[in-house]
Amino acid sequence: MAKMTMHKELEMLREEVETLRKQKAAREKEEAAEAKKTEAEDQKVLAEAKEKAEKIMGSVEEGKTDAKEAMHQLLDTIKHDYENLSPTSAIVLFALGAAFGHALSSK
C-alpha cells in the first residue's frame, strides 16, 4: 500500500511538473508575442519620427534657399542703387552719415 501511494504521489508530481512546463511554455509564448508587439510599435514610432525629421529638414533647406535668394536680391538692389547714384546724392548721403555719426558719438 505504501508503494501504491508513492506511485500515485510520483505520478501526481509528474503531472504537476508537466502542467508547470506547459504554463511556462504558454507564458514564454505570450512574452514573445508581447515583445514582437512592442518592437512593432517601436518601429512605427521610429518611422513616424524619421518622417517628421525629414519634413523639418526639408523646411530648413527651403528656408536656407529662401534666405539666400533674399540676400542676393538685396545685394543686387544695393549694387544697382550704388551704380545709379549721382555724385551730388552721394555727397549728401555722406554728409548725413557724418552728422548722424557725430550726433551719436557726442552723447
Side-chain angles (χ1 to χ4, degrees):
M1 187 105 170
K3 287 186 178 181
M4 186 72 128
T5 307
M6 283 179 46
H7 284 297
K8 282 184 179 180
E9 190 174 337
L10 188 59
E11 186 62 35
M12 287 175 39
L13 288 174
R14 285 183 182 146
E15 288 174 4
E16 188 175 348
V17 167
E18 188 62 33
T19 303
L20 291 173
R21 283 183 184 161
K22 287 179 182 178
Q23 289 175 351
K24 181 181 177 184
R27 188 175 61 242
E28 287 174 351
K29 279 185 180 179
E30 289 175 6
E31 289 173 356
E34 190 67 31
K36 284 183 181 180
K37 183 178 178 183
T38 304
E39 186 177 331
E41 290 173 358
D42 290 346
Q43 290 294 331
K44 183 179 178 183
V45 168
L46 182 63
E48 290 174 358
K50 187 176 181 180
E51 184 178 316
K52 287 180 183 179
E54 288 174 358
K55 285 181 182 178
I56 290 171
M57 291 303 293
S59 66
V60 167
E61 290 297 323
E62 289 175 8
K64 286 172 54 178
T65 304
D66 291 345
K68 284 182 182 180
E69 289 176 5
M71 184 63 77
H72 285 294
Q73 287 177 352
L74 178 64
L75 290 175
D76 288 341
T77 303
I78 291 172
K79 183 179 178 182
H80 178 66
D81 289 345
Y82 174 74
E83 289 173 351
N84 295 328
L85 188 64
S86 70
T88 307
S89 299
I91 292 171
V92 170
L93 188 61
F94 176 76
L96 286 173
F100 186 70
H102 180 69
L104 285 177
S105 66
S106 67
K107 288 185 179 183

